[in-house]
Amino acid sequence: MLTLEHVGKTYSNGVHALADINFSVGPGEIVAIVGGSGCGKSTLLRAISGLDTPSTGRVVLDGEAVMQPHEKIGIIFQEPRLLPWLSVAGNVGFGLEDRPKAERDARVAEALTRVGLSDKAGVWPRELSGGQAQRVAIARALVPRPEVLLLDEPFSALDAFTRVDLQDHLLSLWADTKPTLILVTHDVDEAVVLADRIMVMKPRPGRIFDEIQADLPRPRDRQSSAFDRVRRHVMAALDRSLSRSGHNSNAETDPSGAALWW
Amino acid sequence: MSLASEPAAQPSRKSKSSLSRWGSPALGLLLPLGLAVGWELAVRAGWSNGRLVPPPSVIYATFAELAKTGELQRHAAATLARVVSGFGIGVIVGTVLGAITGYSMLVRRFIDPSLQALRAIPSIAWVPLFILWLGIFEASKVTLIAVGVFFPVYLGVMAAVMSVDRKIVEVGRAFRLSGFKMVRRILLPAVLPAYITALRSGLGLGWMFVVAAEFMGASEGLGFLLVDGQQLGKPAQIVAAIVAFALIGKVTDWLIVGISTPFLRWEDRFKSPAAQD
């Protein structure tokens, strides 16, 4: 169980990025965090990962406060961030350095097979396409078997076909060990396809604005009316989260601005 | 025999590629070889006496003579020993200071301005001071070479450490690396390409400064051969020493490149190493 207790973040330059965020994510649950640009969703994910520490409140995983990167928490970034001096297999096995070589090799081979890249084990990262590189990054994050996997707009740099393919792929990988997934995205479809629960954030300072249950049966049909209903629901919440008539609004009022939430 | 056409087609393609592979070095050799042969012929034909600019055959004879008596080896060994010790000291100090200043902004602000000010001084200007401090023997020569090697290595390492991708370092942090493990698994491989370049420029300067050091009074060394050749009016000996410098300098550079190449195969370069050299 991952719990956020009154998590807030103020940067040293005075930017108030997050304010009083509270929620819990159960084991095996998939939560998507969506929100306008600059609403602090990446900051929130970094606070959960332990790469940044919250200024107030704390992140608790299984009763233990997360103050720095934790072995039970894996993270996948927007870019693959593969280490160019390691082969694909070396990158996937990066988090298994302290394991015996035989075990490491077996787990790396298994993970590469699972992401469909077993024929690429020996090649350098520079030889991979964008989608392949991100699959290697997913394998690298999953191979230490984290309890919580954080994804920071993991597919946003990919083309639409690759993105849909990798979303399905991620779900099938998730089904193997059922880790908790927390996914930051600005793609509403992606959130509805993947998540059990969708958190909509409101900016300045970043806070949770709305929480939407997406209890659709899996696998989800992107064309179904139920899917569309959830999607509209999220869209409406996003629009409201950015509505310029809010009490702290000093931005210019733009009639079409609400639809440009990203 | 329809199959025969395929194997027959391959050798021609192969010979074409080997032509382009050998074609460019051969093209580069054309000018110096042409000049050398032309000069040799000019001297043989009596158009020039070749006293101040000795023809290749005389240079070769001088070179062979020096090598036969063991003179060349003795002088080359003395010079090489100076370069190796000066290079070693310069690399160690440059690497340590460069790594620290690249890593810590505080230390950089503290010592980098002073080092940059020292760098602005032409290193040869130190020579009188070094001789006063360290005497006229090996210590002052090795120090001068070490100073020459230090600056490119220091600058290269500092720039390389400063420019390590924050995102890659973050991957290391996400896998809970810190301290020595972070250095070994992330920072060291990340700076290696720039470090090799820094070592190569350092070595080049080391060879430059050994000549300056040996000019300031040495009883042996290739630089001594140069001065000796000038004072005794033996241009062939000067050119032979220059050729020896070129050969040994190139070989030491090849050593650095050859040793580092297996560690840098991952580089995503505009041109492959083979095409560059």
Side-chain angles (χ1 to χ4, degrees), chain B residues 127-150:
Chain B
V127 167
L129 208 52
F130 286 166
I131 291 178
L132 271 184
W133 286 346
L134 303 163
I136 56 166
F137 297 111
E138 293 307 298
S140 57
K141 297 183 177 62
V142 170
T143 306
L144 179 66
I145 298 165
V147 168
V149 172
F150 167 79

Side-chain angles (χ1 to χ4, degrees), chain A residues 73-130:
Chain A
I73 302 179
I75 184 162
I76 296 170
F77 300 98
Q78 184 173 358
E79 323 82 19
R81 299 197 189 180
L82 302 181
L83 305 176
W85 53 85
L86 292 178
S87 67
V88 165
N91 267 287
V92 173
F94 190 76
L96 301 178
E97 172 90 335
D98 49 350
R99 306 296 168 94
K101 190 176 183 314
E103 183 197 344
R104 189 167 71 222
D105 289 351
R107 279 169 69 174
V108 168
E110 184 199 328
L112 279 174
T113 311
R114 206 61 193 81
V115 296
L117 291 172
S118 44
D119 56 327
K120 301 275 185 197
V123 312
W124 300 114
R126 63 166 191 250
E127 294 163 55
L128 301 176
S129 70

Side-chain angles (χ1 to χ4, degrees), chain A residues 217-235:
Chain A
R218 295 181 191 276
R220 291 178 181 170
D221 176 5
R222 290 175 173 81
Q223 313 303 327
S224 71
S225 61
F227 185 95
D228 202 44
R229 202 178 57 241
V230 176
R231 196 165 64 92
R232 280 164 193 277
H233 194 156
V234 176
M235 286 289 217

